[in-house]
Amino acid sequence: KILFYSGLRSFFFIILRQISTEMDLNIGLFNESFPPVMDGVAICVQNYAYWMQKKVGGVSVITPNVPGADYKQYDYEVLDYFSVPVPFRQPYVTGIAEIDPAFIAKIIKRRFKIVHAHSPFAAGMAAVNVAKRLNIPMVATFHSKYRDDFSQTIPSKAVVEQIIKRIVSFYERADEVWVPQASVKEVIKDYGFKGDVEVVPNGSDLVADYPET
């Protein structure tokens, strides 16, 4: 068995170690999906949370609540907020964190030092608002070819392009923008984003079994 572990040994950890020597470190990871909802970004966030908690501690995942989810199983905190099902996209859920007073109270108490948004939608906007309110930096990772995704379900090209403009506007609010691989950098630039983009591979934690010879 060989442990494959990449991405999370980036310069981000160096920065976090420097910060953690000066103050209590609280990191917020924001995304629309998280296990038991399974997709590539959800697993990426889960790996970030696991390894950051082991390396520096003080990690929280912020995500809409999935009914029946057992968030207490994790070594890090999962701060979930009120959600509703996404039509025709079971088991996905979404929500607006800012209208959940219990969630807001938890966020204020948490006092994050840095936030990392993995989605440009509701969870990402929650990260924007938290960063603005606490005057802290926000990293945002661009994970997907959103134009292709929306074009498959929305027949109007004009509507799709308006959504893309909103997505680009979201990333323009970030202090630093990451993409998981160099080819995705061209995608966000094609969408109209003109800022700097860092290529930071997604963290992965895979155990491979090879047959004995």
Side-chain angles (χ1 to χ4, degrees), residues 26-98:
N26 294 323
I27 311 163
L29 304 176
F30 292 68
N31 193 44
E32 307 298 323
S33 58
F34 190 74
V37 176
M38 304 292 284
D39 60 27
V41 183
I43 298 303
C44 171
V45 172
Q46 186 180 40
N47 284 327
Y48 263 95
Y50 174 81
W51 285 106
M52 284 183 177
Q53 184 68 19
K54 286 179 70 70
K55 296 291 184 179
V56 295
V59 174
S60 295
V61 172
I62 295 83
T63 189
N65 173 266
V66 175
D70 178 19
Y71 298 127
K72 294 181 179 179
Q73 64 180 293
Y74 301 108
D75 294 334
Y76 45 85
E77 185 176 36
V78 177
L79 300 175
D80 57 318
Y81 55 87
F82 174 79
S83 69
V84 294
V86 175
F88 312 112
R89 290 294 305 277
Q90 189 179 7
Y92 286 94
V93 296
T94 189
I96 301 176
E98 290 79 2

Side-chain angles (χ1 to χ4, degrees), residues 66-144:
V66 175
D70 178 19
Y71 298 127
K72 294 181 179 179
Q73 64 180 293
Y74 301 108
D75 294 334
Y76 45 85
E77 185 176 36
V78 177
L79 300 175
D80 57 318
Y81 55 87
F82 174 79
S83 69
V84 294
V86 175
F88 312 112
R89 290 294 305 277
Q90 189 179 7
Y92 286 94
V93 296
T94 189
I96 301 176
E98 290 79 2
I99 66 173
D100 186 334
F103 171 80
I104 294 298
K106 292 177 183 178
I107 286 292
I108 293 173
K109 185 181 297 185
R110 200 70 179 83
R111 305 298 298 179
F112 291 117
K113 300 301 187 298
I114 187 170
V115 295
H116 187 170
H118 290 265
S119 161
F121 305 115
M125 290 309 302
V128 169
N129 292 331
V130 168
K132 182 178 179 180
R133 179 167 186 164
L134 299 178
N135 192 27
I136 59 174
M138 182 183 83
V139 176
T141 295
F142 181 92
H143 280 283
S144 181

Side-chain angles (χ1 to χ4, degrees), residues 120-166:
F121 305 115
M125 290 309 302
V128 169
N129 292 331
V130 168
K132 182 178 179 180
R133 179 167 186 164
L134 299 178
N135 192 27
I136 59 174
M138 182 183 83
V139 176
T141 295
F142 181 92
H143 280 283
S144 181
K145 294 183 177 181
Y146 297 105
R147 180 182 281 133
D148 293 350
D149 295 340
F150 283 110
S151 294
Q152 293 177 6
T153 56
I154 299 175
S156 171
K157 184 177 179 180
V159 172
V160 171
E161 291 309 310
Q162 285 299 314
I163 295 173
I164 296 302
K165 286 182 180 180
R166 289 180 176 271

